[in-house]
Amino acid sequence: MISYVTVGADDIPRAKRFYSAFMPALGYTLTEGSEGLSYALPAAAGQSSVAPDFYVKPTFDGRPASAGNGAMVAFEAQNQAQVRDLHAAALCAGGSDEGQPGFRAAYGPRFYVGYLRDPQGNKIALYASNPNEPGRDG
């Protein structure tokens, strides 16, 4: 359903440090260009690309980038430990905490999530809902 997601950034090197702290562990490869950062999932030879791509770019209109109020991008991790590890790595790489990894009462019993803000203020979620791991209720 979603082909790609783009977030704006005024400081591309700072954004690269943040996103490179966790995107490769989720299987994304980075391509850099004059237009910013492009993270993509690898596709097998002869196969079409695997969606969604994730782009970090300067704004098109040249005005300062800003985070959308109520907008968030969520990335699925393999398990709860990976959520914790990647959340910590992203904090060390310049992100700010928006909610430590854990279960939330408002979500399903297996939805384990940590929230961050990238250096530009964009909200990012790292989550896992692995059925082979303990859920909120034990």
Side-chain angles (χ1 to χ4, degrees):
M1 180 173 120
I2 296 174
S3 177
Y4 64 90
V5 174
T6 303
V7 296
D10 295 325
D11 187 336
I12 296 298
R14 189 173 176 204
K16 178 184 175 186
R17 180 173 174 246
F18 174 80
Y19 285 104
S20 292
F22 67 90
M23 295 293 279
L26 299 175
Y28 284 82
T29 58
L30 170 63
T31 303
E32 292 184 74
S34 60
E35 302 273 326
L37 310 173
S38 300
Y39 290 92
L41 293 166
Q47 299 293 315
S48 58
S49 63
V50 178
D53 289 346
F54 185 76
Y55 303 114
V56 183
K57 299 183 175 282
T59 61
F60 289 104
D61 64 7
R63 295 183 4 212
S66 62
N69 184 21
M72 178 173 55
V73 179
F75 294 98
E76 186 174 9
Q78 295 174 8
N79 52 48
Q80 296 168 17
Q82 189 178 38
V83 169
R84 289 188 297 273
D85 292 347
L86 298 181
H87 186 274
L91 289 176
C92 288
S96 59
D97 183 39
E98 277 288 309
Q100 286 291 307
F103 295 105
R104 304 298 193 273
Y107 303 130
R110 296 204 174 282
F111 193 78
Y112 188 89
V113 62
Y115 297 102
L116 303 145
R117 294 272 177 183
D118 75 3
Q120 194 68 46
N122 296 296
K123 191 168 182 180
I124 304 295
L126 297 167
Y127 78 94
S129 55
N130 187 328
N132 298 317
E133 291 189 295
R136 178 179 62 226
D137 302 325

